[in-house]
């Protein structure tokens, strides 16, 4: 999505750089609009380098008006954020004054507006400011409350610009579609892992990533905040909040474990290698005798580790694992669910030509605590929808904190 980030002249202007970066990390494009006083706190060049776009600093900049993108910005943006918003810009937009690019953009756009006020405590409490904020709120403008703490002017109180992460989260909540998974943080792993033997060779598998991508995409469509941790794939990942690329099982382990605590759901659709070379040769291994022996070591079992942690703490995300089997599919997957302490295991018979790795379709059996449901062969998108239906049900049954683990 395209977001205009209005920056006004407050000491918190430097934090707006982090807001721009946070929005970009979540896949948005940002165009920075700076008031002239903002440029006295942070240089336009900083925003230009970060956003990779021309920064709009003046309504009447010679040359800029021939630039269609610049003129069209009011109708092309999906969201206007003003962070930090001084008492001055709040007063201007509340009263329809449009004497610079940013205040004019506010009048011209029909995109939703998010304002992060930042000013001295006394100013924030002043009736003039309160009234302007009320006027804007009544018009549908949303706010990220300023934080309390030491202000640049020496006061301790409310007025400091909210933290960039909170501003980014508020923007995401406004942009995210309504959906049953709205507000839920879901981590999905997808694709194979490549375990390097030497600088040119690796052990890998045939997973295309499509099943995990279909789940990530369907979860995003249902409004979830999706983090996708993907191994090396040739298929492009879908647009979700965050895509983290990894190569080997060890790297995937770190990427998942460092994020799992913040998640309500973790779905391990990746085909993680169970063994990796015990040591990676620093140089290409030369050809030798007729046979060659590789020494492998077990990789960390990510799902089992998450399951263990949840059993130990009694709390954690809902866990979904996959089980690719060629025989005794349901029995083995049922045992796997218990061993790894997962809520659901999605089992597929990878010996079938129309299911599992590398194809667009799948046929699975979903194994839960209370039963087994077999889904006939169908597109991976529809399988993803069925898995998420089951998850939504589990989330709605969970007590207060989603992901609470019932040890029974
Ligand atoms: O034990 P098995 O490899 O069959 O288990 C498959 C499930 O466990 C999948 O969900 C897979 O993503 C996950 N797994 C893992 N870490 C590993 C191996 C598998 O999380 N090292």
């Amino acid at each position: 999505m395209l977001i205009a980030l209005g920056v006004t002249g407050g000491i918190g202007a430097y934090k707006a750089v982090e807001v721009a970066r946070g929005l970009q990390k979540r896949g948005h494009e940002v165009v920075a609009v700076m008031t002239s006083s903002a440029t006295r706190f942070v240089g336009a060049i900083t925003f230009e380098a970060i956003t990779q776009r021309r920064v709009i600093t003046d309504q009447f900049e010679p040359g800029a008006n021939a630039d269609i993108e610049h003129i069209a910005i009011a109708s092309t943006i999906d969201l206007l954020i003003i962070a930090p918003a001084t008492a001055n810009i709040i007063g201007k937009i509340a009263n329809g004054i449009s004497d610079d690019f940013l205040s004019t953009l506010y009048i011209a756009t029909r995109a939703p507006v998010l304002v992060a006020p930042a000013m001295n405590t006394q100013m924030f409490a002043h009736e003039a400011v309160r009234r302007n904020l009320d006027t804007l709120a009544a018009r549908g403008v949303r706010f990220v409350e300023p934080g309390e703490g030491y202000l640049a002017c020496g006061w301790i109180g409310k007025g400091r610009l909210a933290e960039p992460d909170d501003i980014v989260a508020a923007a995401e909540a406004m942009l995210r579609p309504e959906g049953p998974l709205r507000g839920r943080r879901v981590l999905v792993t997808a694709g194979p892992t490549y375990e390097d033997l030497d600088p040119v060779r690796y052990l890998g598998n045939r997973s295309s990533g499509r099943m995990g991508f279909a789940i990530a995409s369907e979860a995003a469509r249902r409004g979830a905040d999706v983090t996708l941790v993907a191994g090396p794939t040739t298929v492009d990942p879908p647009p979700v909040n965050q895509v983290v690329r990894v190569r080997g099982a060890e790297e995937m382990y770190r990427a998942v474990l460092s994020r799992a605590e913040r998640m309500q759901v973790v779905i391990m659709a990746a085909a993680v290698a169970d063994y990796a070379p015990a040591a990676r040769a620093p140089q290409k291994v030369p050809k030798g005798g007729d046979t060659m022996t590789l020494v492998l070591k077990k990789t960390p079992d990510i799902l089992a580790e998450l399951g263990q942690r949840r059993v130990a703490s009694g709390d954690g995300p809902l866990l979904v694992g996959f089980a690719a089997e060629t025989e005794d599919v349901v029995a083995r997957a049922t045992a796997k669910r218990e061993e790894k302490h997962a809520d659901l295991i999605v089992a597929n018979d990878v010996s079938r030509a129309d299911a599992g790795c590398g194809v667009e379709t799948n046929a699975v059996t979903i194994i839960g605590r209370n039963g087994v449901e077999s889904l006939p062969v169908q597109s991976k998108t529809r399988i993803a929808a069925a898995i998420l239906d089951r998850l939504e049900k589990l989330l709605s049954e969970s007590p207060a904190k989603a992901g609470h683990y019932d040890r029974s």
Side-chain angles (χ1 to χ4, degrees):
M1 303 237 184
L2 179 63
I3 299 175
L5 176 62
V7 185
T8 68
I11 189 74
Y14 74 95
K15 285 194 192 169
V17 176
E18 280 304 309
V19 174
R21 278 165 50 88
L23 293 168
Q24 285 177 312
K25 272 196 209 146
R26 287 168 174 255
H28 303 296
E29 268 193 73
V30 178
V31 54
V33 179
M34 300 179 77
T35 60
S36 64
S37 54
T39 61
R40 305 180 74 148
F41 288 88
V42 193
I45 303 288
T46 307
F47 282 100
E48 190 175 299
I50 297 284
T51 62
Q52 303 277 297
R53 270 176 174 265
R54 175 194 191 119
V55 175
I56 305 172
T57 49
D58 189 355
Q59 191 163 14
F60 305 111
E61 197 179 335
N65 296 295
D67 173 350
I68 299 289
E69 214 185 340
H70 177 147
I71 301 298
I73 210 91
S75 50
T76 51
I77 55 172
D78 299 294
L79 178 68
L80 168 63
I81 303 177
I82 306 181
T86 54
N88 182 46
I89 190 75
I90 289 169
K92 286 204 286 190
I93 64 176
N95 294 288
I97 296 167
S98 49
D99 64 351
D100 62 5
F101 192 90
L102 182 56
S103 50
T104 308
L105 177 60
Y106 170 79
I107 303 272
T109 191
R110 293 297 168 262
V113 180
L114 177 66
V115 169
M119 65 198 74
N120 160 288
T121 311
Q122 297 279 72
M123 292 168 75
F124 189 61
H126 196 282
E127 201 193 329
V129 174
R130 311 294 330 164
R131 281 199 181 191
N132 288 333
L133 291 171
D134 288 346
T135 304
L136 292 172
R139 222 180 264 157
V141 168
R142 306 278 284 273
F143 298 94
V144 191
E145 283 276 305
E148 284 189 42
Y150 279 98
L151 302 181
C153 55
W155 281 76
I156 301 175
K158 201 164 187 177
R160 193 171 68 174
L161 180 65
E163 290 310 311
D165 280 353
D166 295 333
I167 298 172
V168 171
E172 281 282 301
M174 287 174 77
L175 289 168
R176 229 185 276 139
E178 291 281 350
L181 289 177
R182 185 177 176 144
R184 302 289 197 180
R185 286 184 298 278
V186 176
L187 186 147
V188 183
T189 65
T193 62
Y194 284 180
E195 311 301 332
D196 291 328
L197 299 170
D198 68 18
V200 294
R201 305 185 181 96
Y202 60 84
L203 293 176
N205 62 68
R206 291 167 196 256
S207 166
S208 65
R210 284 196 186 93
M211 190 63 243
F213 289 175
I215 293 172
S217 168
E218 180 63 19
R221 209 183 59 72
R222 296 178 186 213
D225 178 333
V226 178
T227 300
L228 179 58
V229 177
T233 60
T234 49
V235 179
D236 283 335
V240 294
N241 300 78
Q242 203 192 2
V243 178
V244 182
R245 281 290 191 177
V246 297
R247 185 171 170 83
E250 191 66 54
E251 201 186 341
M252 183 173 279
Y253 175 85
R254 287 195 301 271
V256 174
L257 269 285
S258 62
R259 291 171 174 85
E261 232 174 64
R262 281 178 273 128
M263 301 292 156
Q264 273 111 28
V265 178
V266 173
I267 304 173
M268 290 288 310
V272 188
D274 292 322
Y275 291 89
R280 176 184 190 270
Q283 305 298 336
K284 187 179 169 205
V285 177
K287 196 185 313 195
D290 287 345
T291 60
M292 173 181 182
T293 306
L294 276 178
V295 180
L296 305 177
K297 67 170 190 305
K298 224 178 196 158
T299 57
D301 191 321
I302 308 167
L303 183 61
E305 173 74 28
L306 292 174
Q308 272 303 328
R309 289 186 179 203
R310 203 173 54 163
V311 170
S313 69
D315 195 9
L318 288 178
L319 299 175
V320 182
F322 275 68
E325 306 287 353
T326 51
E327 53 188 350
D328 291 340
V329 179
V330 173
R332 287 190 183 202
T334 304
K336 202 163 281 181
R337 194 190 79 78
E338 278 160 27
E339 273 160 36
K340 301 201 185 199
H341 304 288
D343 296 280
L344 298 178
I345 285 281
V346 182
N348 54 351
D349 181 349
V350 285
S351 63
R352 290 173 60 144
D354 55 0
C357 292
V359 292
E360 307 266 0
T361 50
N362 211 351
V364 303
T365 303
I366 304 179
I367 296 153
R369 190 169 25 239
N370 304 321
V372 170
E373 183 188 356
S374 288
L375 304 176
V377 65
Q378 53 197 304
S379 75
K380 287 186 173 171
T381 307
R382 293 193 49 192
I383 299 272
I387 295 168
L388 288 173
D389 286 347
R390 289 286 298 264
L391 260 171
E392 276 177 20
K393 201 159 167 285
L394 282 180
L395 280 168
S396 69
E397 287 164 1
S398 299
K401 183 163 164 47
H404 171 83
Y405 185 58
D406 177 354
R407 291 166 199 238
S408 64

